[in-house]
Amino acid sequence: MDYAGYKSTALRHPKQQLIALPHRLTEVSGPVFGDDRIGEFDNDLTQGPSGEAIGQRIIVHGHVKEDDGRPVPDTLIEIWQANAGGRYRHAVDQWPSPLDPNFTGAGRTITDKDGYFRFLTIKPGAYPWRNHPNAWRPAHIHFSLFGRAFTQRLVTQMYFPEDPLFFQDPMYNAIRDERAAKRMVSAFDYDATEDHWALAFRWDIVLRGEEATPTEEPHA
Amino acid sequence: MTLGTTPSQTVGPYLAIGLPWPDGPDVVPEGTPGRLRLYGRVLDGAGDPIGDALIETWQADPDGKFGTAFRGFGRCATDEEGAWEVFTLKPGRLGDGQAPHVDVNVFARGMLNRCVTRIYFADEDNTGDPVLESVPEARRTTLVARPDADGYRFDVYLQGERETVFFKV
Ligand SMILES: [Fe+2]
């Protein structure tokens, strides 16, 4: 859980050995959310109270699967992100880039029977932070997913292809297996692009199977 | 064929934009018979409160069953004192001998992964619980919520002398 490159980990990771939790009833089950948790326009982040959000309109879509390829239907996905200028609508974010009155940066949806999801949003900007001198986060969208079971709960970040900021980003590089890190990067999807409307990025999310052994990756 | 799984990343400092729900702490609504308050603080290795964490809870219903109408799920962001609370029903004993318990996720800026722990109840008979028994005896108390005038208190210490027991799932 510790990663020297990401400074805030220092006081926020357990130092004792994690204890193996066999997957019993509580771990192989999980909450089920109905459509009542989702508003009709919750997967469209571009509509603000007084008009459209500013920035490059993009479609972000893909499938949620288990590691055996089975789709994960009816699972809640929640996302949050910075606006086109890289600014979050949050009291802690005070860097000099303007807020957009028409962009809150939060969205949610539920996957369909094939595990498919789709958001319409604005391409987020990169933003600076104080982790190291001249530190910038590559553009990303935060994703939260439930899956079918407590063991499948995942919070992660989706990146954009060939971002020039990856090399200095400790979050991206905390995933030391390069192939695994690349699974956080979406693909430009020209076929899904809508003419005179929006560019598109595809991102498939793979949740570990219910019986999979615990992943060691981020503990490395 | 096995697909590679998508790695976990930190929730970062801005989870408050996307994750809290107005009814997040209400596993059951106000007025539900048997409704109790589970509460506590999240503290870092220096003993300082973590004001940008998120606690999630998942549990069986009072009969020890899953998949019923009971929501079973609670979610609460911490405040600047590191404090969280969830209003729920006490879970029942499970059929496999497990004492009443609540599975807990802890998310925060500075954590690459969620931390997973469990809440047991000091006023239940926890003897023979297979998960609790797998934990070194001296550390078991970190998993037990204690009843007081305000509910059942469960503090999460991410590090330090009183470090909470966390599980690998
Ligand atoms: Fe971010």
Side-chain angles (χ1 to χ4, degrees), chain A residues 88 127 137 140 142:
Chain A
Y88 284 94
Y127 60 86
R137 294 295 333 280
H140 61 274
H142 295 266

Side-chain angles (χ1 to χ4, degrees), chain A residues 60-168:
Chain A
V60 173
H61 70 148
H63 286 86
V64 182
K65 309 169 190 179
E66 292 190 60
D67 60 7
D68 61 2
R70 267 192 302 168
V72 181
D74 307 317
T75 193
L76 178 65
I77 304 181
E78 297 162 287
I79 66 170
W80 66 104
Q81 64 167 92
N83 69 20
R87 177 90 184 261
Y88 284 94
R89 184 173 290 283
H90 190 289
V92 168
D93 190 2
Q94 293 294 337
W95 81 286
S97 180
L99 283 170
D100 178 348
N102 289 315
F103 192 74
T104 63
R108 62 189 76 78
T109 194
I110 286 185
T111 56
D112 73 9
K113 62 179 179 13
D114 301 315
Y116 180 75
F117 68 92
R118 184 181 192 274
F119 289 100
L120 183 67
T121 186
I122 295 295
K123 191 164 186 220
Y127 60 86
W129 61 313
R130 299 190 189 282
N131 187 70
H132 58 275
N134 200 19
W136 293 80
R137 294 295 333 280
H140 61 274
I141 299 177
H142 295 266
F143 270 71
S144 162
L145 296 97
F146 282 87
R148 301 176 208 270
F150 183 80
T151 54
Q152 292 184 320
R153 183 87 177 86
L154 177 68
V155 172
T156 186
Q157 301 179 25
M158 185 201 91
Y159 297 92
F160 292 87
E162 290 165 49
D163 196 307
L165 292 166
F166 286 151
F167 80 95
Q168 55 80 66

